Amino acid sequence: MKLNDTIVALATPSGAGAIAIIRVSGPEAISIVSPVFKAKSGKKLEDQPSHTLHLGNVIDAERIIDEVLVSVFRAPKSYTGEETIEISCHGSPYIQQEIIQLMIRKGCRSAEAGEFTLRAFLNGKMDLSQAEAVADLISSENQASHQMAMQQMRGGFSNEIQRLRQELLDFASLIELELDFAEEDVEFANRNQFKELIARIQQVLKRLIDSFATGNVLKNGIPVAIVGEPNVGKSTLLNSLLNEERAIVSEIAGTTRDTIEDEMAIGGVGFRFIDTAGIRETQDVVESIGIKRTFEKISQAQVVVFLLNAEKFKELSSEFKIEIEKIKNKFPQKPLLIIANKTDRIEETERERLIQELEIISENNERSQFLLLSAKTGSGVEELKDKLLDFVNTGELRNNNTIVTNSRHYNALLQSLEEINKVQDGLNSNLSGDLLAIDIRQALYHFGEITGEITNDDLLGNIFANFCIGK
Ligand code: GDP
């Protein structure tokens, strides 16, 4: 990838739209666009200052291609840090292509995926983790993933990492300085202060590493397993949550044999509902495979919803108890929500008895609760949404804590921590400065991987290849 040429790409989605934006960035951006743009004002684009807008025509020889609006961004005050022109044209694919082809004939090269952001990174406009957040921001589908990407783009934890890296670097220099005075037995780096810094770094790293679990589920949707015998109303419940008839609702028991996933945002947080076949003991081979799969799905879920039929509670309460106990024993840490569905079909007295019994069965504590609901009428559905939000730990997000969502960062953090632990061991056992310095350098290396101070072409290629063209 050459970086001293001028690149062009469509920045808006391909296809027809009201308008489309074509981006041109590089040293020749303004001088390439200027001769093919005729401003209504008669002014020459080349003479225009940064951050100005100009109405005019894009002209190929004598032919007008389109009436457009051109924005001028002068280096270094642009997204890429280079001279940049953005052409807002009418959104016909024909016009888009005509303009792009014209730019290429006049000396631009077609940009590769993520090349604008790559240039922004290489020109110091953002660090690597911020650049990666741009991709997350573009793909964010709900409030939670949007918030995490925004936070990372604003600097997020890379500022924190950078500060710690600098402090560590200062100590590394002092220790390496000591090596130059080896004969004189001096100590420039105060070992106690150094130990204190290492402890601080460990704390930050551990917090960030732990946040990855939260980050990952928030980014991909929080998996919720819905467990219940066939016909209890799983699909109806999902439909009323979704407010549309997406899953197939059927009268025949056992139709939900395979697992289906439905995604939706509740209170700005993405949820993934995994419909399971239930765990009722059975002789049926197909259904017993279903039970095994249900347990697998529960183990992958963050929350379990156990759905029972309120109408059958009188007759089946002991069976429900056994099934609930089974889930609790197998997954004692997992938040469990017991829902009695079809409560529109039971009498008030039965309802009261149900509440009393479910209070006992569920234990009604922080991790295990119950709810009366009717998927059909929708009563209790709002309460269910509230309970789901309470169950998942969105506290970290609400408190605006930094959350790591990128597995590359996560791995670099794990490796940094490993090296920092080695440094700590070395300090505690009075390891000689030269050996200590090696471990510190390793830790610094992994810190640098996150922010992009340490990179190689393969890594950059990998990261930016995941971007769309034009970003
Ligand atoms: P699934 O097999 O668990 O997915 O169950 P379905 O969602 O297919 O529901 C089975 C039947 O129960 C359907 O006829 C639904 O209309 C009915 N049903 C579901 N929820 C309720 C409810 O809350 N009240 C009543 N009266 N019927 C319900």
Side-chain angles (χ1 to χ4, degrees), residues 308 310 313 338-340 343 346-364 369-373 383:
L308 60 85
F313 191 73
I338 302 165
I339 298 179
T343 49
I346 58 169
E347 301 288 330
E348 191 54 36
T349 48
E350 177 59 18
R351 194 184 168 87
E352 273 157 27
R353 201 176 73 92
L354 195 60
I355 292 175
Q356 279 173 5
E357 293 225 16
L358 286 180
E359 237 157 34
I360 299 164
I361 298 174
S362 72
E363 294 168 71
N364 208 11
Q369 297 191 2
F370 75 96
L371 181 69
L372 267 53
L373 183 136
E383 210 180 324

Side-chain angles (χ1 to χ4, degrees), residues 10 12-17 19-20 91-93 96:
L10 183 67
T12 39
S14 62
I19 58 165
S92 116
Q96 295 163 16

Side-chain angles (χ1 to χ4, degrees), residues 231-236 250-251 341-342 344-345 374-376:
N231 241 12
V232 64
K234 295 191 290 290
S235 328
T236 313
S250 119
E251 292 281 355
N341 187 33
K342 308 200 187 183
D344 55 298
R345 299 270 280 262
S374 166
K376 199 161 196 170

Side-chain angles (χ1 to χ4, degrees), residues 14-262:
S14 62
I19 58 165
I21 296 175
I22 293 159
R23 262 189 171 159
V24 182
S25 179
E28 312 290 329
I30 295 173
S31 57
I32 286 176
V33 178
S34 189
V36 296
F37 175 71
K38 209 172 193 152
K40 298 265 179 200
S41 64
K43 290 178 190 162
K44 271 193 145 180
L45 209 55
E46 279 164 326
D47 305 330
Q48 302 311 309
S50 187
H51 293 72
T52 52
L53 271 180
H54 308 275
L55 179 69
N57 290 326
V58 172
I59 293 168
D60 182 12
E62 292 301 299
R63 187 171 69 103
I64 296 175
I65 297 180
D66 192 18
E67 186 176 88
V68 301
L69 204 53
V70 164
S71 331
V72 177
F73 303 95
R74 298 230 174 228
K77 288 165 132 187
S78 67
Y79 179 72
T80 54
E82 304 172 323
E83 302 276 283
T84 300
I85 293 283
E86 283 182 10
I87 304 171
S88 306
C89 62
H90 290 101
S92 116
Y94 172 74
I95 293 174
Q96 295 163 16
Q97 278 318 307
E98 283 292 294
I99 296 177
I100 290 172
Q101 289 312 318
L102 177 64
M103 294 304 146
I104 290 172
R105 281 202 304 281
K106 297 293 175 189
C108 287
R109 167 170 68 75
S110 257
E112 295 184 25
E115 200 174 353
F116 291 93
T117 309
L118 171 65
R119 288 180 175 207
F121 162 67
L122 292 171
N123 289 325
K125 298 296 283 189
M126 54 179 82
D127 73 24
L128 197 55
S129 83
Q130 286 172 308
E132 287 169 298
V134 173
D136 284 343
L137 190 68
I138 293 171
S139 66
S140 64
E141 285 181 348
N142 59 52
Q143 194 188 344
S145 54
H146 170 253
Q147 190 178 333
M148 288 188 295
M150 279 305 278
Q151 192 189 39
Q152 193 178 323
M153 220 171 73
R154 285 199 304 264
F157 67 93
S158 60
N159 288 342
E160 203 167 357
I161 291 289
Q162 220 148 12
R163 257 196 318 274
L164 292 175
R165 183 173 191 269
Q166 191 54 51
E167 284 187 65
L168 195 58
L169 201 59
D170 294 344
F171 266 102
S173 323
L174 289 177
I175 284 181
E176 282 173 16
L177 196 64
E178 285 173 11
L179 299 179
D180 294 340
F181 294 87
E183 274 106 75
E184 281 143 68
D185 195 25
V186 286
E187 211 175 78
F188 295 122
N190 181 316
R191 295 300 191 263
N192 282 333
Q193 276 176 15
F194 194 24
K195 279 182 190 169
E196 187 262 332
L197 171 67
I198 293 296
R200 204 145 41 84
I201 293 178
Q202 282 173 324
Q203 220 178 10
V204 173
L205 291 178
K206 278 181 191 151
R207 175 167 57 72
L208 290 174
I209 287 168
D210 288 344
S211 77
F212 183 67
T214 315
N216 219 19
V217 288
L218 286 179
K219 191 167 166 181
N220 299 318
I222 294 153
V224 178
I226 303 194
V227 182
E229 57 169 354
N231 241 12
V232 64
K234 295 191 290 290
S235 328
T236 313
L237 178 60
L238 280 176
N239 283 341
S240 76
L241 275 170
L242 267 177
N243 262 337
E244 58 183 64
E245 304 274 315
R246 199 184 294 168
I248 307 149
V249 185
S250 119
E251 292 281 355
I252 310 151
T255 41
T256 318
R257 274 192 178 142
D258 223 326
T259 51
I260 309 167
E261 290 194 12
D262 260 310

